[in-house]
Amino acid sequence: MSAAMKVSMRSTVAVRPARATSVVVRAESRRSVLSGFLAGAAALTAAGSASALSPVDIFDDRAVREKGFDLIYEARELGLPQNTRDGLTQARGSIEDTRARVAESTKRILTAVKPSIEKAYWTDAREELRRQVGTLRFDLGTLASAKVGKADKKKAIALNKDFLTKVEKLDFSLRSKDQDAARAGLLTAKEALDAVLAFSLL
């Protein structure tokens, strides 16, 4: 046997163990990957079983929804009329709630606007008056529309206009910082509001 053939055979023998080792390593890697995959699948199955067995809490939100819980979704619904999206239709739906808002606004005009006039807090008096009259304008219109008969509705609307006209004069007195005129204007507006309520709340 020549020297060249001996060298060739030795190199071949030397390479064979390396190939065997590589095959063993690859087999071990596949086993570890497969075992990890099976362990993960088992963990997911166990978690799913645990969640399926956990109790489910059921809450009755019908009373909450009746009080306007879904108004935020109605505001985003483009298929609804604008009054419904703004909540105006819902606010007109209850005469009792309307009367309660009117009573609250009337009270705040006396408890917040009048003291501000006496202290010459013109900005506070003007802003509070405008807030309450904004609510009253809406609610008094609702009460007027609830009247039965054209004559009663016409009279209620006329009383509302008279009240709002006197409120505008009061607002001008507040902007002019005329304390005497503001005192007299508040008294006049209160008398006009009492006349509106005496008729509208019948």
Side-chain angles (χ1 to χ4, degrees):
M1 185 180 295
S2 64
M5 292 181 63
K6 290 181 179 181
V7 172
S8 176
M9 291 179 64
R10 288 178 181 177
S11 61
T12 302
V13 174
V15 170
R16 286 178 180 173
R19 289 180 180 175
T21 304
S22 176
V23 171
V24 172
V25 171
R26 289 178 182 175
E28 291 296 331
S29 300
R30 290 179 181 176
R31 290 193 188 95
S32 62
V33 171
L34 183 59
S35 62
F37 176 76
L38 293 176
L44 290 176
T45 304
S49 301
S51 61
L53 295 177
S54 61
V56 178
D57 295 328
I58 300 176
F59 299 97
D60 187 359
D61 286 339
R62 285 175 294 181
V64 178
R65 297 181 66 181
E66 289 176 358
K67 295 179 180 179
F69 181 79
D70 291 335
L71 287 180
I72 184 61
Y73 301 103
E74 293 179 355
R76 298 171 180 170
E77 179 56 59
L78 299 179
L80 295 175
Q82 189 63 42
N83 284 344
T84 303
R85 294 177 61 196
D86 292 340
L88 302 180
T89 302
Q90 296 87 332
R92 292 190 180 101
S94 174
I95 296 299
E96 294 301 323
D97 291 343
T98 300
R99 291 182 176 183
R101 287 194 300 271
V102 169
E104 180 64 23
S105 295
T106 303
K107 182 180 71 174
R108 292 190 182 188
I109 288 176
L110 297 177
T111 59
V113 178
K114 185 176 181 179
S116 295
I117 293 175
E118 297 300 328
K119 297 176 182 178
Y121 292 169
W122 305 115
T123 302
D124 291 346
R126 185 174 62 249
E127 296 303 321
E128 184 64 28
L129 176 67
R130 292 178 179 180
R131 277 193 294 270
Q132 302 312 321
V133 171
T135 301
L136 284 171
R137 187 189 301 271
F138 174 80
D139 288 331
L140 294 179
T142 300
L143 294 176
S145 64
K147 285 292 183 181
V148 178
K150 293 183 178 179
D152 288 345
K153 287 185 179 180
K154 187 175 181 179
K155 182 178 180 180
I157 292 173
L159 290 172
N160 291 349
K161 289 183 177 179
D162 180 63
F163 164 66
L164 295 174
T165 299
K166 292 177 179 177
V167 166
E168 290 176 358
K169 293 180 179 179
L170 171 59
D171 185 82
F172 178 76
S173 300
L174 296 175
R175 286 187 282 117
S176 302
K177 301 181 180 180
D178 187 338
Q179 193 171 47
D180 292 335
R183 287 170 178 166
L186 179 62
L187 181 61
T188 304
K190 179 61 170 58
E191 292 175 351
L193 179 58
D194 289 341
V196 172
L197 299 180
F199 181 76
S200 297
L201 297 180
L202 290 176

